[in-house]
Amino acid sequence: MNRPQDERMGSILRSGMVLLKKYLSTDDQVKIVRLCRDLGVGPGGFYRPGYRDGAKLHLMMMCLGKNWDPETGKYGDCRSIDDAKPPRVPDELSCFVAKAIKDSHGVILRNNKQKEVNEILPPMTPNICIVNFYSETGKLGLHQDCDESEESLRRGLPVVSFSIGDTAEFLYGSQRDISIAERVMLESGDVLIFGGKSRHIFHGVSSIVKGSAPLSLLDEPKLRPGRLNLTFREY
Ligand code: SIN
Ligand code: MN
């Protein structure tokens, strides 16, 4: 049976926060894994980042467009560990992002019958992307994404997040408090967008569901056990 149109297209989690379930096709997910795999072994590719206090993040990271440094919380042109310049955000990925924002506007319009979708979820053109790979024990504490330019944050330009591979338990809320955070499972192919009034939500990944990735991603393009997450932003 076909699911209702709006459920199939996506749902609004809060103002400016839209979840597009199973949005990326298997072919597109395969393309994205291949792209990340190729970029990930080149200059500026995946590494295990750390915070200022020396603690390591529970994930591997690669930046595109600009380097985000978890030690300083700042973006720069090169990363300090090896002076590598991050690769550009590939045009193919920017096209997926543009389409996801357009379709999110459709979801907002259908649910609210409001015309000011560009205020609720401002459009953006991604020039930076943080690619995280979580192994089956990976996680990420509650935090806000607030290191982009003042202008980008002021305008509420959205973060667009692609999930590929194993499912993640994703937490989000208005405060940095896991006991009151809301939870949503992000499965392979899901796209989550948070901008406008939701741009400053606290969010994080509490756990990865072992062995939940689609088999089609494991044979070829040989995704390792775990979860790939890409968060696109406009600096
Ligand atoms: C992030 O907040 O940087 C990543 C979120 C996720 O992995 O879903
Ligand atoms: Mn984040």
Side-chain angles (χ1 to χ4, degrees):
M1 197 180 79
N2 281 340
R3 281 182 279 166
Q5 173 93 356
D6 52 348
E7 196 193 315
R8 191 174 62 230
M9 279 303 297
S11 50
I12 298 171
L13 301 185
R14 48 166 72 193
S15 177
M17 188 172 187
V18 176
L19 175 60
L20 302 172
K21 284 302 288 177
K22 307 267 183 167
Y23 181 78
L24 300 165
S25 69
T26 300
D27 280 359
D28 289 344
Q29 293 179 53
V30 167
K31 263 187 218 157
I32 294 168
V33 173
R34 277 198 195 119
L35 259 171
C36 292
R37 190 185 62 189
D38 294 348
L39 292 172
V41 295
F46 284 110
Y47 76 108
R48 177 104 189 262
Y51 294 115
R52 207 178 317 208
D53 64 3
K56 292 280 185 198
L57 277 76
H58 295 269
L59 49 78
M60 301 289 284
M61 187 174 90
M62 155 171 78
C63 296
L64 306 178
K66 270 185 181 295
N67 181 64
W68 178 72
D69 183 348
E71 284 191 34
T72 60
K74 290 195 187 332
Y75 284 97
D77 292 330
C78 294
R79 66 185 185 193
S80 56
I81 51 152
D82 57 5
D83 231 17
K85 193 171 154 42
R88 286 188 58 236
V89 178
D91 291 343
E92 203 168 4
L93 296 183
S94 302
C95 288
F96 291 143
V97 172
K99 187 164 180 307
I101 293 174
K102 195 162 154 267
D103 287 333
S104 297
H105 282 165
V107 174
I108 292 170
L109 265 178
R110 252 198 315 282
N111 282 271
N112 289 354
K113 307 278 174 272
Q114 282 174 344
K115 293 280 173 276
E116 66 276 21
V117 282
N118 287 332
E119 276 167 43
I120 296 172
L121 186 67
M124 68 99 174
T125 307
N127 53 13
I128 44 178
C129 176
I130 298 179
V131 185
N132 288 334
F133 182 78
Y134 301 78
S135 70
E136 293 174 333
T137 54
K139 57 187 173 173
L140 182 62
L142 283 182
H143 64 279
Q144 291 169 303
D145 288 359
C146 51
D147 297 327
E148 291 71 35
S149 71
E150 256 174 52
E151 164 82 354
S152 176
L153 296 170
R154 187 187 55 74
R155 289 170 58 204
L157 302 189
V159 174
V160 176
S161 158
F162 291 3
S163 292
I164 295 176
D166 282 341
T167 300
E169 185 180 58
F170 182 86
L171 305 184
Y172 65 96
S174 309
Q175 294 171 51
R176 184 183 273 124
D177 182 348
I178 52 169
S179 67
I180 53 170
E182 302 202 54
R183 277 149 219 263
V184 66
M185 302 310 279
L186 295 182
E187 299 170 284
S188 199
D190 290 355
V191 173
L192 177 70
I193 305 193
F194 51 98
K197 288 199 176 123
S198 292
R199 183 58 174 79
H200 286 96
I201 51 152
F202 287 93
H203 60 281
V205 171
S206 50
S207 62
I208 301 294
V209 182
K210 233 174 149 167
S212 51
L215 293 179
S216 46
L217 298 179
L218 304 179
D219 305 344
E220 218 296 313
K222 290 197 168 34
L223 179 67
R224 290 199 207 155
R227 168 176 182 260
L228 193 58
N229 174 258
L230 295 85
T231 46
F232 299 89
R233 310 121 196 261
E234 182 173 324
Y235 181 73

